[in-house]
Each structure stands twice: as C-alpha cells, then as structure tokens.
C-alpha cells in the first residue's frame, strides 16, 4: 500500500514500522526521494495511504499514522540516498569492523567513491579515492558540521 501511495517513481520507502505498544497501533512510514522530498509530497502520500488503509480495513480502523523523511542524523540505508550527498563528508562503518570518514566523490551502481581522510601525527592525510561496495557498508551517516 505504501509503495502505491508514493507520488512518483523517484520516491522510495526507507522503512516501515508498526508498533503495537499503545491502545492504537502506530504506523511509521519513512520515505525519501532521489533529490529529497518536500512537504507536498509527504502530504499527498499520507492522504493516499489513509485512503488505501480505509478501503482495506474500513474507516473504523484505529491507528496512528506518521509519514516522515529520514532525519539528518539517520543513517543512509538505500543506495539512492547517496547521490545527493556528493561533496559531503560521510562516516562509514564497514562489515569488517573498520570505521572511516571521507568525502563522497560520487556513487556508482556498485558503491561509493570516497576520498578518505585519516589523522597521522596531528595532521590530516587524504588518501586516494577508493570504491567501497554497498555490500561492504554496514552503516553510513552524513557528518553534520557546524563550522
């Protein structure tokens, strides 16, 4: 139902959770777009999803619905999320346990081209750009800088 509610093919589902801890189940749908997503797209997705839930379960179904975008502090989970962050600093955790930080140069169908920055003896050293396959990345976050 959520996929059918998206406003276009450039939008995608990041996550969908249903928690049943309250009197009403809470449905949280996190969606994003290749170039981000605006409030109008969130609103139209919410309206379409409500209509579909009402048609499937009746208008008397009791639930709380939240349709949102990933926050700035949320990890990137879909390869389509990376492209718009080109030029920004990413912090990666790799499947082998390594952690690194560097500038996202570009994305490819296979993974990320990242220019890693390492600290050596109180200096920063920039390593050559390397490809990090999506399959090797266990977590990626945009580093928020207030400089």
């Amino acid at each position: 139902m959520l996929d059918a509610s998206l406003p276009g093919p450039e939008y995608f589902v990041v996550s969908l959770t249903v928690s049943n801890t309250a009197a009403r189940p809470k449905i949280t749908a996190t969606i994003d777009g290749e170039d981000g997503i605006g409030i109008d797209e969130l609103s139209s997705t919410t309206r379409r999803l409500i209509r579909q839930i009402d048609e499937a379960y009746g208008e008397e179904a009791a639930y709380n619905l939240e349709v949102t975008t990933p926050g700035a502090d949320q990890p990137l989970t879909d390869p389509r999320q990376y492209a718009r962050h080109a030029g920004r600093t990413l912090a990666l955790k790799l499947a082998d346990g390594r952690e690194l930080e560097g500038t996202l140069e570009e994305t490819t169908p296979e993974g990320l081209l990242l220019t890693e920055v390492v600290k050596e003896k109180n200096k920063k050293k920039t390593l050559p750009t390397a490809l990090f396959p999506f399959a090797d990345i266990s977590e990626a976050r945009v580093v928020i800088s207030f400089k």
Side-chain angles (χ1 to χ4, degrees):
M1 281 189 247
L2 180 55
D3 281 332
S5 299
L6 296 174
E10 67 275 20
Y11 301 101
F12 51 92
V13 176
V14 174
S15 68
L16 177 66
T17 58
V18 179
S19 60
N20 203 9
T21 57
R24 297 177 184 209
K26 180 179 180 185
I27 303 165
T28 304
T30 305
I31 59 177
D32 206 349
E34 293 169 4
D35 295 318
I37 191 166
I39 190 72
D40 292 337
E41 291 83 7
L42 285 173
S43 297
S44 66
T45 300
T46 302
R47 286 190 300 273
R48 287 186 195 109
L49 186 55
I50 288 171
R51 275 195 301 273
Q52 289 195 32
I53 292 171
D54 288 349
E55 288 173 8
Y57 299 102
E59 292 183 16
E60 301 305 314
Y63 61 92
N64 292 317
L65 175 64
E66 177 182 17
V67 178
T68 187
T69 62
D73 62 337
Q74 297 298 307
L76 305 175
T77 58
D78 188 294
R80 294 173 286 185
Q81 290 179 288
Y82 290 90
R84 73 172 181 270
H85 294 291
R88 297 182 78 183
T89 302
L90 296 184
L92 300 182
K93 290 183 183 177
L94 302 179
D96 65 7
R98 289 187 300 147
E99 294 184 17
L100 54 100
E101 195 170 287
T103 302
L104 174 61
E105 301 300 336
E106 66 178 285
T107 59
T108 70
E110 297 82 33
L112 308 176
L113 289 171
L114 193 83
T115 303
E116 184 179 358
V117 177
V118 295
K119 292 180 184 176
E120 285 185 355
K121 298 182 182 179
N122 299 327
K123 288 195 251 178
K124 290 185 178 181
K125 179 180 177 183
T126 303
L127 301 178
T129 300
L131 175 68
F132 294 90
F134 290 119
D136 294 348
I137 301 170
S138 60
E139 184 177 287
R141 293 180 183 268
V142 175
V143 176
I144 308 296
S145 175
F146 295 101
K147 291 182 181 181

